[in-house]
Amino acid sequence: MVREDGKRNFALREDSGDESSVFSGNTPRQAALKAARRLEPASSEDDATRTTLQLREKGTDKVHIYEGWAWEQTAPDDSPGWMPDDITEANVSKQGIEHIEE
C-alpha cells in the first residue's frame, strides 16, 4: 500500500514467518538498506558477513529478498558536528521476489 507521501512499508520477516520490524521507503531497496544498517557491522566491507533479508511489502503477498551486509568506517571530514567519528555503512544485493501462499 502506498502512503500519501509515496512511501511504502516493508516488514522484516524471520524464517519462522514472524515480522519483527517495519521499514519504509519509496523502493524496496531503500527499506532493505535501512534494515541492513541494523546488522552487526564488521571492521571493513570485505570482512562483513552477508545476511539474507526478507522484506514483505505491506498490503501485498510480495516478499523482496536481499543479501545485506554492514561495516564501520570513519565519518567524512566535512560531516556535521553531531555525527560520530565512526559510522555504519551498508549495502544490499537483490536476490529476487517470492509470493506468500496462505
Side-chain angles (χ1 to χ4, degrees), residues 2-3 7 11 16 25 27 39 45 55 57 65 69 74 82 89 91-92:
V2 178
R3 298 185 332 199
K7 294 189 188 234
S16 63
T27 64
L39 297 172
E45 184 173 9
L55 295 166
E57 188 170 349
I65 309 215
W69 60 98
T74 306
W82 54 263
E89 290 283 341
N91 203 355
V92 294

Side-chain angles (χ1 to χ4, degrees), residues 27-38:
T27 64
R29 184 176 190 277
Q30 189 177 32
L33 284 167
K34 290 178 182 181
R37 288 195 58 213
R38 295 213 181 160

Side-chain angles (χ1 to χ4, degrees), residues 74-100:
T74 306
D77 293 335
D78 62 347
S79 63
W82 54 263
M83 187 178 283
D85 293 336
D86 291 325
I87 57 173
T88 302
E89 290 283 341
N91 203 355
V92 294
S93 173
K94 187 144 192 180
Q95 305 299 306
I97 296 176
E98 292 181 0
H99 294 273
I100 299 174

Side-chain angles (χ1 to χ4, degrees), residues 1-9 25-26 57-60:
M1 305 275 303
V2 178
R3 298 185 332 199
E4 194 172 296
D5 61 1
K7 294 189 188 234
R8 301 182 290 180
N9 291 322
N26 292 323
E57 188 170 349
K58 294 281 204 158
T60 71

Side-chain angles (χ1 to χ4, degrees), residues 7 10 18 20 48-49 51 62 64 68 71-72 76 91 97 99:
K7 294 189 188 234
F10 299 90
D18 293 338
S20 57
T49 303
T51 305
K62 287 184 191 176
H64 301 268
W71 68 95
E72 282 190 347
N91 203 355
I97 296 176
H99 294 273

